[in-house]
Every structure is written in structure tokens, then in C-alpha cells.
Amino acid sequence: MNETTLYMKTQGTSILIVSLYVDDLIFTGNDVHMIEQFKREMMMKYEMSDMGLVKYFLGIEVHQSEDGVFISQSKYSEKVLKKFGMLGCNPTSTPLVVNEKLKKDDGGRKVDETYYRIIIVNLLYLTHTRPDIMFDSSMLSRFMSSPSHLHLGATKRLLRYIQGTVNFGIMYSRNLDVKLVGYYDSDLGGCIDDMKSTSG
């Protein structure tokens, strides 16, 4: 595996997956005996507490049910909105203005780079469970070196969209017949700054 915080152990058809971040550890697998053995060995070697089924990990909320697993960051979303004075603001139905083209040098008044970067970093962390804001957050991150009030306005619009979709997340269904359906859009030379195309 290329992920430095993720470990896998296999024995025949049995799999144990362990994710470690500083002093937080979660693990799962398809073999109860392997999981219990791992838990016993870890508790013998290290001082650790068994917190039971995972409900919260690094800002990600995990809801497990018979239907599957739902992950979201609703508490983190509210924390971000509160941090930037947007909690309870009027929500918007779209993350960005449709057909709006932002560019680096738009002639607008410059805003505090540090403040803008902090918003973007918070938005990018939120994309772990919010693929619906992935494009918008990534696109707005292009302007971190010299943001204008127009860029900040677009960023605050995205926060208003999050206000109306705080409970959005990803559902991993137990249904084995699930088919992934995706939609994409692309443009030709859509970036005003370098005339590069954005593909879906």
C-alpha cells in the first residue's frame, strides 16, 4: 500500500485493515477472530482503550446500520461555518454561480491571503465526505497566492451552500447490486488565466 497510515494483513481469505493516526487507531476486517486476536495483542503491548464501534474519527462521523455505513462531517461543517461567521446564514442551492469565470488578476481589491487560505484548507478537508464540493474547493484554491474580494465572495457562497447541505455525506450500501452512476461536464479552454480545458 502507498498510504503510510494504512496497514493490511491477509491470511487466506481473511483480511484485517488498520488505520493509525498519531494516537488514534481504527481497525476492521472480515474475520471476527482475527480482529479479536489483533485487539488482544495490542492491549497486551500498549495501553489502549476499546471504544467499541467507530462513531467519530478525525472529524468524520460514522453511522453504521443494517443498510450500510454512512459517513459525514456535519459537526465539522458547523464548526467551519461558525469559525468564519457563517453559521445560520442564508443557504444557496448551488456551490458557485453558474457560468461565472474567475481569474487570478480580476482587478478586484485584494483580501488577506492567510484568511483566504484558512477557509480553503477547511473546505478541502470537508471534501473527504463531500464530493459535491470537490471541484469548487479545488478551483477556488487556485487563487490562494493573491485572492481578491471576488474570490472571497465565491468562497463565502460555497460556505452558504454548505449551510444548506450540512447533513450531506456518503452512504456505503450493503446492497451488492449497487451501480455507480456519475455525471461530468467539461469545457474547452475554460480557464481564463492559461486557457486550459477542464475535463470531467
Side-chain angles (χ1 to χ4, degrees):
M1 284 238 144
N2 292 330
E3 179 56 56
T4 55
T5 63
L6 190 67
Y7 303 89
M8 279 182 61
K9 178 180 180 181
T10 57
Q11 288 179 341
T13 58
S14 298
I15 301 171
L16 175 70
I17 302 170
V18 180
S19 180
L20 176 66
Y21 183 81
V22 188
D23 61 351
D24 287 325
L25 175 80
I26 60 172
F27 50 91
T28 186
N30 63 353
D31 186 328
V32 176
H33 300 295
M34 185 184 273
I35 291 171
E36 289 299 324
Q37 181 184 356
F38 171 77
K39 198 185 330 183
R40 278 194 306 273
E41 290 175 3
M42 289 295 289
M43 292 179 101
M44 284 171 54
K45 191 159 188 173
Y46 303 102
E47 184 179 328
M48 68 180 238
S49 304
D50 182 0
M51 306 294 287
L53 289 175
V54 65
K55 293 183 175 72
Y56 194 80
F57 187 69
L58 303 177
I60 298 175
E61 298 158 59
V62 182
H63 302 278
Q64 300 181 54
S65 68
E66 289 298 318
D67 297 327
V69 179
F70 179 73
I71 61 172
S72 67
Q73 290 171 283
S74 56
K75 288 179 185 172
Y76 179 77
S77 297
E78 289 175 353
K79 183 179 171 184
V80 170
L81 290 166
K82 186 176 182 182
K83 183 178 186 177
F84 299 109
M86 301 288 286
L87 187 63
C89 66
N90 291 329
T92 61
S93 59
T94 58
L96 294 178
V97 176
V98 178
N99 295 326
E100 182 180 35
K101 299 278 187 183
L102 296 171
K103 59 182 180 177
K104 287 183 182 177
D105 188 16
D106 57 15
R109 177 178 44 86
K110 296 300 177 188
V111 297
D112 184 1
E113 291 176 21
T114 303
Y115 178 71
Y116 186 83
R117 285 179 185 152
I118 292 170
I119 296 175
I120 295 298
V121 166
N122 281 264
L123 289 171
L124 290 173
Y125 189 73
L126 191 54
T127 62
H128 290 307
T129 61
R130 295 292 302 269
D132 58 320
I133 64 166
M134 177 67 78
F135 171 80
D136 314 296
S137 302
S138 298
M139 192 268 295
L140 290 169
S141 72
R142 296 176 188 171
F143 311 112
M144 288 196 296
S145 61
S146 184
S148 74
H149 76 283
L150 295 173
H151 303 136
L152 182 60
T155 305
K156 291 206 169 180
R157 181 187 173 91
L158 181 51
L159 288 170
R160 288 175 56 209
Y161 171 75
I162 291 166
Q163 171 68 52
T165 57
V166 165
N167 294 318
F168 278 22
I170 301 173
M171 178 70 182
Y172 294 98
S173 176
R174 288 180 188 253
N175 184 355
L176 298 178
D177 296 327
V178 169
K179 291 179 182 175
L180 184 63
V181 178
Y183 301 89
Y184 72 93
D185 195 5
S186 60
D187 60 21
L188 182 61
C191 181
I192 296 173
D193 295 310
D194 56 17
M195 295 309 291
K196 289 185 178 175
S197 301
T198 301
S199 60

